[in-house]
Amino acid sequence: MKRYHIAIVGATGMVGRTFRKVLEERQIDADYTLLASARSAGSVIHFMGKDHIVQVLNETCFEGKGIDIALFSAGGGTSLTYAPIAAAAGVVVVDNSSAWRMDPAVPLVVPEVNADAIPQYKNKGIIANPNCSTIQAVVALKPLHDAFGLKRVIYSTYQAVSGAGQAGFTDLEEGLKGVAPKKFPYPIAGNVLPHIDVFLPNGYTKEEQKMIDETRKIMGLPELAVTATTVRVPVFHGHSESINIELERPFEMEQVFDALRSFEGLVVEDDPDNNLYPLPIRAEDTDPVYVGRIRRDFSVENGINLWCVADNIRKGAATNAVQIAEALIKLWNS
Ligand code: A2P
């Protein structure tokens, strides 16, 4: 069987570190090349039992290396420039940035939801990894759509500072000691900010628009009625979301629980008598998407409310990208 070669672009960053951790945990035996900016080129990282010298990402770094897959997490600008260069060298790029997500020729993939889109990588040599808050939401929505049909979705999010990279994390750490913020426009310690990413002319933030557009694309429902309010909260790890869902067809709550319980990648934590519901501190450093507080919305026909939590750096970024790489390898081996 062919031995594959995987590159990690942005190997020294927060998501890059988690790529390495997830690949080690899953023991994905391959040759590896670690790439980052000139700032960290030459530094040594111990990974998969070997010392790797970090190499600089440039126009020629993919040429003639036999790299099969590159996991990119080095910012949108870097992806925009270097993903096509990698693809031209025969590499399949799994891109964690927002640069390619809405390109109609680029599949946007959450393997539990739309693995059937993976072969579309052949169009441009790129597969996009969705936005963290969208990934966990669509894992919860898919079994409900399959069983009862989605009619309308309302997202309200409670997102961790790690979603804003190391700088966001530091703002909360230092903010708890009274230091003024550098990344966020206001203190995040003891506060909540209804503002993630930049504001758009339509009044939404870019994070909200990403949730709307990416949900429609991944679910294959371009007309789905969906809206979002995204909020940054003083939590280090794990995004939480209140999701209000209107379904097309009537249901019994037991059928809703069954659909959620039997879906791959979802864990139902719902036992009000024992105060059991999903929490970011429990989701931290794990891969599933957790759902709980599952209850009928009595204000509409066929409505439910649920609470959805996942580790935004793992399932929301690194784990999802590694799952895509695993699916590619399986496809090539078949
Ligand atoms: P470096 O560590 O050399 O700066 P984070 O999201 O935690 O800030 O991490 C960003 C990652 O992307 C880091 O690995 C960083 O490398 C890498 N990176 C940022 N800009 C570039 C660039 N222009 N070329 C290559 N890698 C980059």
Side-chain angles (χ1 to χ4, degrees):
M1 206 181 281
K2 176 179 155 63
R3 187 174 172 79
Y4 290 96
H5 187 161
I6 299 175
I8 304 176
V9 179
T12 51
M14 195 176 263
V15 174
R17 271 201 304 276
T18 312
F19 279 147
R20 290 189 266 118
K21 198 168 163 188
V22 174
L23 288 162
E24 278 185 332
E25 283 171 8
R26 295 180 172 231
Q27 280 298 300
I28 301 193
D29 189 30
D31 294 325
Y32 285 96
T33 295
L34 305 190
L35 297 158
S37 78
R39 289 182 290 274
S40 36
S43 58
V44 176
I45 291 180
H46 194 75
F47 168 59
M48 295 290 278
K50 265 175 68 176
D51 283 339
H52 294 262
I53 299 171
V54 177
Q55 295 172 38
V56 68
L57 176 73
N58 60 30
E59 279 79 4
T60 57
C61 69
F62 297 103
E63 273 171 24
K65 298 258 174 53
I67 296 171
D68 301 288
I69 298 172
L71 306 174
F72 268 63
S73 190
T78 308
S79 292
L80 215 47
T81 307
Y82 289 98
I85 293 172
V91 179
V92 178
V93 171
V94 180
D95 183 36
N96 197 50
S97 81
S98 62
W100 297 95
R101 289 180 191 151
M102 295 315 295
D103 183 324
V106 172
L108 182 64
V109 175
V110 178
E112 295 90 335
V113 178
N114 65 336
D116 55 329
I118 289 176
Q120 291 171 36
Y121 77 83
K122 289 174 190 146
N123 296 345
K124 282 201 171 169
I126 303 171
I127 299 179
N129 205 44
N131 169 268
C132 45
S133 39
T134 310
I135 290 177
Q136 68 185 72
V138 294
V139 174
L141 292 178
K142 173 69 174 166
L144 299 175
H145 177 63
D146 288 348
F148 310 108
L150 286 183
K151 185 173 176 194
R152 182 172 185 231
V153 176
I154 304 171
Y155 295 130
S156 306
T157 73
Y158 304 69
Q159 298 183 219
V161 292
S162 53
Q166 188 58 52
F169 202 89
T170 305
D171 257 19
L172 177 55
E173 251 177 354
E174 294 297 308
L176 289 167
K177 300 177 206 156
V179 178
K182 293 197 177 71
K183 169 78 180 172
F184 301 122
Y186 297 99
I188 185 66
N191 207 3
V192 297
L193 306 178
H195 173 185
I196 301 184
D197 209 328
V198 295
F199 281 99
L200 302 173
N202 66 2
Y204 283 71
T205 62
K206 200 167 163 195
E207 183 81 356
E208 290 160 350
Q209 197 64 50
K210 283 179 200 167
M211 285 195 83
I212 294 166
D213 296 341
E214 294 181 23
T215 297
R216 289 175 173 156
K217 179 167 175 176
I218 299 162
M219 300 291 299
L221 297 170
E223 307 294 327
L224 180 68
V226 47
T227 191
T229 301
T230 60
V231 179
R232 188 77 67 193
V233 295
V235 167
F236 285 108
H237 296 282
H239 289 352
S240 305
E241 301 175 351
S242 158
I243 312 183
N244 177 258
I245 305 155
E246 264 184 84
L247 295 164
E248 293 282 1
R249 297 184 285 281
F251 54 81
E252 297 299 328
M253 283 311 294
E254 207 39 53
Q255 296 174 297
V256 166
F257 276 91
D258 285 347
L260 295 168
R261 277 200 196 100
S262 55
F263 194 70
E264 187 196 338
L266 261 187
V267 173
V268 174
E269 288 185 332
D270 193 308
D271 183 4
D273 291 342
N274 291 299
N275 293 344
L276 181 67
Y277 32 74
L279 292 175
I281 51 170
R282 257 205 315 272
E284 182 178 344
D285 217 18
T286 73
D287 287 329
V289 174
Y290 300 87
V291 287
R293 301 292 329 279
I294 303 156
R295 61 209 192 276
R296 192 176 286 276
D297 172 359
F298 296 104
S299 72
V300 289
E301 217 186 337
N302 307 330
I304 56 174
N305 285 306
L306 59 80
W307 179 247
C308 172
V309 177
D311 184 319
N312 52 304
I313 304 291
R314 286 187 67 110
K315 182 57 187 166
T319 301
N320 197 70
V322 171
Q323 285 176 309
I324 293 171
E326 286 176 323
L328 277 171
I329 289 171
K330 198 167 156 201
L331 189 70
W332 293 334
N333 283 340
S334 66

